[in-house]
Amino acid sequence: MDEKIRVAVMAGTTRAQRESIKAARYVFEFGKQIPEIDVVFVDPLDFNFPGDGNDPEGKDPRYTKITELADAFFIITPEYNHSFPGSLKRMLDSELKNYVHKPVALGGVSNGGWGGVRAVEALVTSVREMGLAVTFTSVYFPKVQDLFNEDGSLKEENR
Ligand SMILES: Cc1cc2nc3c(=O)[nH]c(=O)nc-3n(C[C@H](O)[C@H](O)[C@H](O)COP(=O)(O)O)c2cc1C
């Protein structure tokens, strides 16, 4: 295979004190080490999606381009009230056709012991409706505040 698989790694929240960004960056850095893929990091903070829906005026052209070029997605979502954040939903909702029949892997994050499993389960329902094909397994980051070193690597005891 000559061409690399392009994977968009998506962070799931714009919250100012967000911890889940560390897990998203960890997945991104991990992906950079896999020779067969090209990874691009998608931070919902970097985009602007006015209003709701997927009408032209509610899109961000930079996000449109990323989703168009992506062969696959990896979404890392924190759990907010047993679901995923509205900012992630708003970003995902802004497109549709660019997702259809592409694979998506999901990662969950929480500050407790469950690792965001309920957010991931809730997200499965939405991404399926968007035409994405969800992978068989997901990855979970429980107690995210204790997992990473300052440089973003996993602490020794968590490897
Ligand atoms: C509005 C809100 C609701 C939350 N609800 C849950 C929840 O239902 N279950 C859970 O395990 N953690 C919940 N948390 C805590 C998150 O697990 C925690 O914020 C974690 O660090 C991941 O999200 P972050 O990127 O916002 O930091 C909630 C956090 C917020 C801000």
Side-chain angles (χ1 to χ4, degrees), residues 53 74 127 132:
F74 200 136
V127 294
L132 289 156

Side-chain angles (χ1 to χ4, degrees), residues 49 52-55 58-59 63 84 86-96 99 126 130:
F49 304 103
D52 277 309
N54 56 13
D55 309 304
K59 294 177 186 287
Y63 180 76
F84 55 95
S87 51
L88 174 60
K89 182 70 160 45
R90 177 68 197 98
M91 181 168 79
L92 292 171
D93 279 347
S94 72
E95 294 297 330
L96 184 57
Y99 304 135
S126 282
M130 293 168 194

Side-chain angles (χ1 to χ4, degrees), residues 13 15 18-20 78-82 110-111 118 144:
T13 179
R15 192 172 80 90
R18 58 191 183 166
E19 290 280 341
S20 58
E79 180 168 314
Y80 290 174
N81 295 317
H82 290 196
S110 74
N111 58 5
R118 290 161 295 211
V144 63

Side-chain angles (χ1 to χ4, degrees), residues 131-145:
L132 289 156
V134 189
T135 57
F136 192 55
T137 52
S138 300
V139 62
Y140 298 101
F141 297 88
K143 298 188 178 157
V144 63
Q145 66 281 6

